[in-house]
Amino acid sequence: MRICGKLGIRLSHSRPYRPQGRGKIEKFFRFIDSSFKPEAYAQIQAWQIATLGELNAALAAWLDGFYHVRKHGGTGEPPLNRAARCQRVIRRVPVEELMDIFLWEETRKADKTGCVSLMGNIYEMAGELTGLTVTLRFDPFDLKVLQVWHQGRRFPNAVPLDLSQPVHQRVKGNSRKSRVSRAESTDTLAAGKNLNFFALAEEKRRANWGNELLTYAQPSKEDGND
């Protein structure tokens, strides 16, 4: 809810006992599980994907070279074609701003020495914050940097005195590779070919660049400059 508010997104919940429409995102992730993940895990095991950047590139190829251009079972047309007719104004947020918006937040009260504890680590803050309740904002993958806020004002970052946990345990556990067997892909793009599926999808993705259908609606005068 906090992130939606900062991005200007209205969070809308369906009414009780009205499940219609709730399954769209679940079905999308189910298709990722059946189509993208088996290919991705197979290439990870073959060391064709070894970094997070390569995994992100494979997902981009799968999305733009396969998912967005295949006929959708519900609408009967490719998602790219359907999006091209949308007249909504697309708002874009800079990556730096997004990274800041998605920081985790915790509330702590500074002790009489101006220190706080977070995830097993001890940090020292500005002396004027001694005894006050502050908001700590941080990236769970890098607990060395800890933003300190009090009543809407940002203070100097907290200084780590004891950094026994440089990474949050929850994300540390999720970052380990899972062992899965390769399931037979439901995709037809690489059927019958002993080729890298993501390489084929990337080729199709690049081929579509010259015939891009997606257009962006222009902001109206009422929308201002956002």
Side-chain angles (χ1 to χ4, degrees):
M1 184 178 295
R2 174 180 60 85
I3 294 173
C4 286
K6 290 185 176 182
L7 289 172
I9 297 173
R10 182 173 64 89
L11 185 60
S12 177
H13 296 283
S14 58
R15 289 182 296 169
Y17 311 108
R18 294 284 298 175
Q20 294 88 340
R22 293 184 186 180
K24 292 180 180 178
I25 191 66
E26 286 83 357
K27 191 168 184 179
F28 171 73
F29 283 117
R30 187 172 64 186
F31 189 60
I32 286 182
D33 287 341
S34 65
S35 176
F36 173 77
K37 286 178 65 175
E39 295 287 345
Y41 277 121
Q43 293 192 32
I44 289 172
Q45 292 171 353
W47 291 100
Q48 294 178 342
I49 294 178
T51 67
L52 180 60
E54 291 172 350
L55 181 62
N56 285 335
L59 179 61
W62 179 83
L63 284 170
D64 293 339
F66 176 68
Y67 182 79
H68 288 160
V69 296
R70 64 185 286 275
K71 182 184 291 187
H72 191 277
T75 64
E77 61 180 330
L80 188 65
N81 293 21
R82 190 175 182 86
R85 299 198 307 273
C86 180
Q87 296 302 310
R88 291 183 179 178
V89 177
I90 298 179
R91 299 175 60 244
R92 299 193 179 277
V93 180
V95 174
E96 296 79 7
E97 185 177 343
L98 277 177
M99 293 177 64
D100 188 69
I101 288 174
F102 276 86
L103 291 177
W104 289 17
E105 289 189 2
E106 292 281 350
T107 301
R108 294 289 188 276
K109 184 176 181 179
D111 62 21
K112 59 183 178 181
T113 64
C115 294
V116 293
S117 174
L118 179 72
M119 313 303 172
N121 301 322
I122 305 297
Y123 300 86
E124 183 180 30
M125 302 185 302
E128 57 190 303
L129 296 173
T130 299
L132 298 180
T133 299
V134 298
T135 299
L136 307 175
R137 307 189 67 221
F138 57 94
D139 178 351
F141 290 94
D142 184 10
L143 295 179
K144 297 189 299 295
V145 181
L146 195 66
Q147 295 184 11
V148 181
W149 293 78
H150 177 65
Q151 295 183 346
R153 174 187 168 192
R154 182 174 177 179
F155 287 78
N157 290 351
V159 178
L161 299 180
D162 178 8
L163 194 65
S164 57
Q165 299 292 340
V167 178
H168 193 290
Q169 287 300 307
R170 189 190 307 172
V171 298
K172 186 177 182 180
N174 290 340
S175 64
R176 292 180 301 199
K177 292 182 180 179
S178 303
R179 292 185 178 181
V180 296
S181 59
R182 182 180 184 182
E184 181 179 358
S185 173
T186 58
D187 306 317
T188 58
L189 186 62
K193 299 179 181 180
N194 187 22
L195 295 173
N196 184 322
F197 170 77
F198 295 133
L200 292 174
E202 179 65 15
E203 289 180 6
K204 189 167 185 179
R205 175 187 181 225
R206 291 177 179 272
N208 288 333
W209 285 354
N211 190 30
E212 181 63 61
L213 296 176
L214 185 59
T215 58
Y216 301 106
Q218 297 298 318
S220 62
K221 293 181 179 179
E222 291 78 8
D223 292 324
N225 296 322
D226 337 286

